[in-house]
Amino acid sequence: IERIPKEYIRPEEERPSIGDIFAEEKMGGGPQVPTVDLKGINSEDLEVREKCREELRKAAVDWGVMHLVNHGIPEELTGRVKAAGEGFFGQPIEEKEKYANDQAAGNVQGYGSKLANNASGQLEWEDYFFHCVFPEDKTDLSIWPKTPSDYIAATREYAKQLRALTTTVLAVLSQGLGLEEGRLEKEVGGMEELLLQMKINYYPKCPQPELALGVEAHTDVSALTFILHNMVPGLQLFYEGKWVTAKCVPNSIIMHVGDTVEILSNGKYKSILHRGVVNREKVRVSWAVFCEPPKEKIILQPLPETVSEADPPRFPPRTFAQHIKHKLFRLTDQEGADTPKPDE
């Protein structure tokens, strides 16, 4: 097609900010998403370890997003995960449709081409595959792709290693708030309850990329989000009043701080507004894993240690489910219409 259907065209006031992603990725100067080298994160040399941890904390405070390198997950494994995901999307549409989700029935896991409630009601230029990948007892292998044959094995192993990385990162962020290492992990559900949900985003080439978005501007509701991609640029962050394009860093995993950790830290760590931009020339694929607390079991609110007279709570108490509902529909909670809204 030469023109995109009107349901995909972004509002006029948004379009001037959508530029050529390849040109923008090449540009030097201006703010850059930080790269954090995790090589020394558990070093026995106290100075090396503390320097590494401080870099991670600083990036979480200043940006809320970073490229992680030397993260400990073998390149061979991330390569298998990418090959399996690309293999799935490379199949004929009728094969992919066998895994179609049924949003009307409340079943969001599986293959789809539009998330249920994106805030604007417009379509985003992407297909996706969404499913829970950890803990193993909460995964439903019946909806995981059978083709390529390595999909299940590679994705399971990746999820397990990513879960270990999650523990490490949460421990460092806990320390940065003056808490004991295991505190944030416990507050988001621990090994039993923290869910890792994978969304593979497939962004086809777009004939009018200046009119569309792959994913509209949002913050992640998760505690943390980890993203692999196929080295095609597309991620943009809203930093200091401008859209900043993330450069492609080889063998890195992009990590976002999500709303959940922002709330628990009373805004000390940032959940940054970001979006996905598309292009004419190359298909972009990204593998996002959202680490999410249980929907109803935990009340999300600033931890007492992060609150003071000078820094009162910035967020009202909500369950994770209420937080999602609030973001999607901008509704007030059951407590009544005067419930204070958090900083968006």
Side-chain angles (χ1 to χ4, degrees):
I1 62 169
E2 285 173 27
R3 291 182 179 281
I4 66 174
K6 66 178 186 308
E7 305 91 297
Y8 291 92
I9 296 177
R10 304 305 301 177
E12 209 161 317
E13 64 275 11
E14 202 177 356
R15 283 181 241 155
S17 74
I18 305 172
D20 177 342
I21 195 70
F22 295 111
E24 290 182 17
E25 198 234 357
K26 285 189 183 74
M27 268 162 50
Q32 303 290 336
V33 176
T35 296
V36 177
D37 187 339
L38 295 187
K39 196 162 152 196
I41 200 154
N42 290 317
S43 168
E44 287 176 15
D45 181 326
L46 184 62
E47 204 177 315
V48 170
R49 184 169 77 232
E50 204 33 57
K51 183 174 180 288
C52 175
R53 292 180 171 217
E54 183 49 38
E55 276 179 26
L56 175 57
R57 289 191 287 263
K58 188 175 180 333
V61 167
D62 295 349
W63 279 80
V65 65
M66 63 204 80
H67 302 283
L68 300 178
V69 295
N70 290 318
H71 41 69
I73 299 178
E75 196 183 334
E76 179 267 339
L77 178 58
T78 55
R80 283 171 59 203
V81 169
K82 291 180 187 181
E86 287 177 336
F88 172 78
F89 280 101
Q91 297 179 101
I93 188 78
E94 48 274 19
E95 284 303 309
K96 292 182 281 196
E97 286 288 354
K98 290 176 185 171
Y99 297 92
N101 58 18
D102 183 357
Q103 300 237 356
N107 180 17
V108 296
Q109 295 203 70
Y111 171 71
S113 60
K114 176 181 181 290
L115 275 179
N117 291 305
N118 62 329
S120 67
Q122 285 176 298
L123 295 181
E124 297 168 313
W125 194 262
E126 68 156 351
D127 282 0
Y128 66 89
F129 195 97
F130 181 77
H131 60 106
C132 178
V133 293
F134 196 91
E136 288 190 356
D137 63 354
K138 291 188 168 73
T139 59
D140 177 3
L141 288 181
S142 71
I143 61 139
W144 290 38
K146 311 288 178 287
T147 309
S149 57
D150 190 35
Y151 186 97
I152 292 176
T155 305
R156 275 193 125 158
E157 182 54 34
Y158 177 61
K160 210 185 300 179
Q161 295 204 24
L162 208 50
R163 185 62 186 84
L165 181 59
T166 302
T167 295
T168 302
V169 169
L170 288 173
V172 174
L173 296 180
S174 279
Q175 281 183 318
L177 297 171
L179 306 170
E180 63 277 14
E181 282 202 357
R183 180 70 180 281
L184 278 179
E185 168 123 2
K186 179 172 157 275
E187 296 287 348
V188 297
M191 201 50 87
E192 304 295 310
E193 297 285 349
L194 185 69
L195 288 183
L196 270 57
Q197 313 256 31
M198 179 185 269
K199 181 174 171 240
I200 309 175
N201 301 294
Y202 181 89
Y203 306 103
K205 295 175 194 175
C206 179
Q208 294 175 294
E210 67 286 353
L211 299 180
L213 286 175
V215 172
E216 67 185 16
H218 66 286
T219 61
D220 289 354
V221 293
S222 59
L224 300 172
T225 303
F226 294 94
I227 303 171
L228 287 174
H229 57 80
N230 65 339
M231 293 295 286
V232 174
L235 173 65
Q236 291 187 324
L237 301 307
F238 197 66
Y239 183 76
E240 295 183 343
K242 290 195 175 72
W243 286 107
V244 174
T245 298
K247 297 198 180 297
C248 292
V249 177
N251 305 325
S252 69
I253 296 177
I254 295 168
M255 187 188 85
H256 287 269
V257 171
D259 297 351
T260 296
V261 163
E262 180 177 64
I263 291 165
L264 292 170
S265 73
N266 200 26
K268 291 174 176 61
Y269 297 130
K270 303 278 186 295
S271 179
I272 195 170
L273 191 69
H274 57 284
R275 67 184 186 183
V277 181
V278 291
N279 73 81
R280 268 188 191 81
E281 295 144 58
K282 290 181 176 174
V283 169
R284 180 168 183 259
V285 190
S286 69
W287 289 256
V289 175
F290 305 97
C291 306
E292 298 185 350
K295 282 205 158 57
E296 306 288 354
K297 282 188 183 176
I298 291 168
I299 299 292
L300 293 179
Q301 59 190 329
L303 298 174
E305 295 90 339
T306 65
V307 173
S308 66
E309 233 174 279
D311 194 5
R314 299 186 197 183
F315 305 93
R318 289 193 175 104
T319 63
F320 186 59
Q322 284 170 331
H323 176 67
I324 293 172
K325 198 166 112 179
H326 162 77
K327 285 193 70 164
L328 289 175
F329 304 110
R330 298 289 186 271
L331 292 179
T332 53
D333 299 319
Q334 292 124 348
E335 298 98 70
D338 56 356
T339 307
K341 299 254 169 120
D343 305 329
E344 288 297 329

